[in-house]
Structures are given as C-alpha cells and as structure tokens.
Amino acid sequence: MKTTEKVFDGLVVLEYQSGNKKSLSILVKRHHARLCRHSYRYTYDFEASKDIVQDSWKVIISKLYTLKDPNSFSSWATKIVTRKSLDHLSRLKRTKKNIESIHKGSIINDVTDDKEAEIRKLLLAIKELPENQQMVLKLFYLEEYSLKEISSILNVSIGTTKSRLFHAREKLKGILKTKKR
C-alpha cells in the first residue's frame, strides 16, 4: 500500500478518534471491497467472506479508538479479517465439512482468452504452493503490502515472511518450467 494512502487513512482514523463519526464511512468505502477479496482468498466463498468482513467491521469499529498508529489502519484491519477468516475455516474443519467444496466457483474457471490462459496457468501453479506461501505472494503482489506489514498481518517474523516469499517464487518458477515441457 502506498505511503500517501496510509497517511490519508491515518488522517481519517484520527478524525474518527476525535469524534467525527462520518469519517468511518470513508474508511468503509475505501477498504470494504479489498477486505472482502482478502477474506475470499482464504474461504473461496463469496457469501462467507462478506459475512466475515461484516463481523470484522464490528471489531474494527469497537477497537478503532485504541489504534495507536493510525497510518497502519489498512494492515491492522487486514489482520483482523485474516484472523476472522482463519477462525471461520477452523469452524468448518471442526464440523468436518469438506473444505474442497469451498474452492468451487473460483475465478480460474471463468478464464478463456489466450492472455487469460496464461493467467490461468499462473493461478493454477500458485494453487500448487503451500497455503502460507500463496498468502504471502497475494499480499505482496496483489495487495502491495510491505514485508513488515505482511509479517504483522500473518503474525510471523519478517525473516519468515522473506523466506516464504523467496521459496514461493522459486517453487513457482519450477512449477511453471515443468508445465512448459
């Protein structure tokens, strides 16, 4: 996420913390769709991701006054959505539902063009990676979070984040090379 966006979010958070309730709608408009996409990457279920983000907003709003670094709102909110998404998956596992059925309806099935076929191959290759490496790739390249922010979101060290990103890239190269043959 760009520095200017972080600063803008920080200013909006400070406005909210100082009593301007209208500033909350700005945060929701700026982040709701992104948070839904982030949750979807865990659940592969649009309806569940919307519910998770809705529940996350309740937590975000109730704890927004305690946020010490307003510029970190985006990564802080993403961390809350990540936790809620993981809790959701844990509940599914505890009830012994088939997790594979969640992956139905993935955007990969909708890809048809030549250029999109290449994207499909890349997405399929990414799906072959371990979940922790997939998440680091998505946060780094799609959401444009820094390594430090990713380590905070996933609650792992920066070294672990760097290692996962490195190994994900290397495995991805290997997977794509074997698919070309």
Side-chain angles (χ1 to χ4, degrees):
M1 181 166 258
K2 295 178 181 143
T3 305
T4 54
E5 292 173 350
K6 290 179 189 178
V7 172
F8 180 78
D9 285 343
L11 292 172
V12 175
V13 168
L14 288 173
E15 278 287 315
Y16 180 78
Q17 289 175 339
S18 64
N20 182 355
K21 303 296 183 206
K22 293 179 183 177
S23 58
L24 181 62
S25 65
I26 295 170
L27 289 173
V28 173
K29 285 178 187 172
R30 285 178 50 82
H31 295 281
H32 186 76
R34 182 187 59 78
L35 292 174
C36 286
R37 286 189 308 272
H38 179 74
S39 179
Y40 178 80
R41 288 186 194 113
Y42 281 99
T43 63
Y44 294 98
D45 182 339
F46 288 114
E47 293 304 315
S49 64
K50 286 191 234 177
D51 292 342
I52 290 166
V53 172
Q54 192 66 36
D55 289 342
S56 298
W57 277 114
K58 292 175 189 173
V59 174
I60 291 167
I61 293 167
S62 71
K63 299 196 182 235
L64 196 53
Y65 285 107
T66 64
L67 182 60
K68 292 181 178 148
D69 179 12
N71 290 351
S72 68
F73 173 80
S74 180
S75 59
W76 176 74
T78 303
K79 188 174 186 176
I80 291 170
V81 171
T82 299
R83 295 282 172 245
K84 291 270 188 193
S85 298
L86 291 173
D87 289 347
H88 172 77
L89 291 177
S90 294
R91 280 192 302 277
L92 287 177
K93 285 180 184 178
R94 279 195 304 270
T95 58
K96 297 183 181 182
K97 287 187 177 180
N98 185 358
I99 298 300
E100 294 303 317
S101 67
I102 294 173
H103 296 286
K104 288 182 182 174
S106 177
I107 58 171
I108 294 172
N109 297 333
D110 298 334
V111 180
T112 54
D113 278 346
D114 289 339
K115 186 176 181 182
E116 291 176 339
E118 291 296 317
I119 293 171
R120 181 179 180 178
K121 288 178 188 175
L122 179 61
L123 291 173
L124 287 170
I126 290 171
K127 281 192 172 255
E128 291 182 32
L129 298 174
E131 184 66 31
N132 60 5
Q133 291 177 358
Q134 287 182 38
M135 197 49 56
V136 171
L137 277 175
K138 290 171 184 174
L139 288 170
F140 189 77
Y141 289 109
L142 297 179
E143 298 292 334
E144 297 179 351
Y145 282 112
S146 69
L147 291 172
K148 184 177 179 182
E149 291 170 322
I150 294 170
S151 70
S152 174
I153 290 168
L154 298 178
N155 202 24
V156 296
S157 70
I158 292 177
T160 301
T161 304
K162 288 179 184 178
S163 175
R164 287 180 184 174
L165 186 59
F166 172 78
H167 290 295
R169 289 174 182 153
E170 293 301 310
K171 283 184 182 176
L172 200 53
K173 286 178 196 174
I175 291 169
L176 292 172
K177 282 183 184 177
T178 58
K179 297 227 183 225
K180 285 184 179 181
R181 292 181 189 167

